[in-house]
Amino acid sequence: MIIFLNGFASYLEYVLGVIELLLFFAALFQLARIHLYTNDSKRLLPKKVFHAIIMVTMLLKSLFFFAHPTLETIVKPGSLAFNFFLVWFELSSVFFFLAYFMLLLFWADFYDHLARGPARSSFFHRVRIVLVVFFTILAALVVTLIILAFWWSTDQYISHMFIVDEVSEAIVSVLFLGTGTGFLFYGFRLYFLLKRIRIAPSDGTSSSPPEPHKVTLVATGCTVCFISRAVISLYSMRKSMDSRDDFSLKFDTPLILEVTYFVVTDILPTILMLVFLRRLPKWNGSTRSKN
């Protein structure tokens, strides 16, 4: 787990906490816009899902950054509070992954709809069994992490929690590596597909499909951010294995690496996606009044 160590770096945690809190309010504002000013709930479902999950994620991360500088000096390794911190950090990473993984699934469904046509069975229908199995396994792993964290809340289980933390970090890194690769794959497929065809709005609004170059920009940005996250996390695990005897909430990594990690892997992709998803169809009063 990559966390700031001490000194000047602790002040940067408050800065990151403020930034994450601002992103929480931005996601909340955008979710309210989608709910209040649009009526096409089915077509805007991907935006609703993403903003709802990213809102929870940014709130968790912001509270973590605000609490960590104070508690890192008083939380004893192996205690219940220490394990709670580990679970808190990993859960925020899992929620962050879920936000972008769900968005990636909607991208895949959108591409499938354009390439195969609306008459064919949907992408979600064809992969529903795989998704059910995947989310079941992910939920089981999260529940197992929580149970072990509270079960092994004594000094004698510090080494056990070290292994649990490293395994969970490895799993999250692999998930982000796969998500980044997926954005690269579907981003460029959508780019070439949107370049070949032209889609007109079908509901009387002024909405339009995303421009090819914007899709490529977002896909490339997410790919770079998530692959960087996986690489830095794996590097963090390698370093922590060397300092296994000093398992604590402090981690001796270069300051520039810590700042780069949170800016590139959390803040940058979130800002990028919030900007990309900010556009909504023009409000149609007559359409909304039908409800």
Side-chain angles (χ1 to χ4, degrees):
M1 179 174 63
I2 295 182
I3 310 179
F4 289 101
L5 61 146
N6 48 35
F8 175 74
S10 63
Y11 294 101
L12 292 179
E13 293 193 78
Y14 291 117
V15 175
L16 289 174
V18 171
I19 296 175
E20 305 271 14
L21 188 61
L22 291 176
L23 292 177
F24 160 77
F25 284 115
L28 177 62
F29 173 75
Q30 184 68 355
L31 187 63
R33 284 184 63 216
I34 296 172
H35 180 73
L36 295 175
Y37 295 104
T38 61
N39 192 44
D40 195 352
S41 57
K42 182 178 180 180
R43 188 161 55 88
L44 293 177
L45 180 61
K47 290 187 178 183
K48 286 185 176 181
V49 171
F50 174 80
H51 285 91
I53 301 178
I54 209 68
M55 184 179 65
V56 174
T57 305
M58 293 298 105
L59 182 60
L60 286 174
K61 287 182 175 291
S62 176
L63 294 176
F64 179 87
F65 284 128
F66 285 136
H68 179 260
T70 302
L71 297 181
E72 70 170 352
T73 58
I74 61 177
V75 173
K76 181 181 178 182
S79 65
L80 181 61
F82 177 85
N83 292 350
F84 174 77
F85 253 89
L86 295 182
V87 173
W88 187 351
F89 186 83
E90 297 300 341
L91 280 182
S92 66
S93 298
V94 170
F95 273 106
F96 193 73
F97 158 75
L98 284 177
Y100 285 90
F101 181 69
M102 293 301 299
L103 195 60
L104 176 61
L105 291 178
F106 285 119
W107 274 35
D109 183 66
F110 178 63
Y111 173 85
D112 189 74
H113 179 79
L114 296 182
R116 296 166 59 91
R120 301 291 186 89
S121 59
S122 69
F123 171 81
F124 285 104
H125 179 75
R126 295 197 308 275
V127 301
R128 65 187 184 280
I129 297 179
V130 177
L131 292 178
V132 169
V133 173
F134 172 78
F135 284 118
T136 301
I137 294 175
L138 183 62
L141 290 174
V142 171
V143 172
T144 301
L145 173 64
I146 295 174
I147 293 175
L148 292 178
F150 287 95
W151 186 268
W152 288 341
S153 56
T154 58
D155 294 342
Q156 68 185 78
Y157 292 115
I158 292 180
S159 60
H160 294 65
M161 281 308 302
F162 175 87
I163 297 175
V164 170
D165 180 58
E166 296 304 300
V167 170
S168 61
E169 191 70 26
I171 293 174
V172 171
S173 298
V174 171
L175 292 177
F176 274 105
L177 189 61
T179 303
T181 304
F183 270 107
L184 181 66
F185 178 73
Y186 279 105
F188 280 93
R189 294 189 76 181
L190 277 172
Y191 171 80
F192 291 113
L193 184 61
L194 292 173
K195 290 284 285 185
R196 293 201 317 264
I197 63 178
R198 183 175 181 178
I199 312 165
S202 58
D203 58 353
T205 67
S206 62
S207 61
S208 59
E211 300 176 14
H213 71 277
K214 290 184 178 180
V215 171
T216 307
L217 176 64
V218 172
T220 304
C222 289
T223 299
V224 172
C225 292
F226 295 151
I227 290 180
S228 298
R229 182 190 186 102
V231 171
I232 295 175
S233 295
L234 293 174
Y235 172 78
S236 163
M237 292 172 55
R238 170 69 180 276
K239 295 287 289 183
S240 62
M241 291 294 291
D242 296 335
S243 58
R244 182 169 176 174
D245 294 334
D246 186 26
F247 187 40
S248 67
L249 288 177
K250 300 178 181 180
F251 187 68
D252 189 13
T253 56
L255 177 60
I256 186 62
L257 178 59
E258 295 172 350
V259 174
T260 301
Y261 177 83
F262 290 108
V263 171
V264 172
T265 65
D266 283 357
I267 296 173
L268 183 60
T270 302
I271 293 176
L272 188 65
M273 197 59 73
L274 288 177
V275 172
F276 180 72
L277 298 176
R278 75 188 187 281
R279 294 179 57 186
L280 298 176
K282 285 188 176 180
W283 182 80
N284 190 325
S286 61
T287 301
R288 190 170 181 83
S289 64
K290 292 179 183 180
N291 277 358

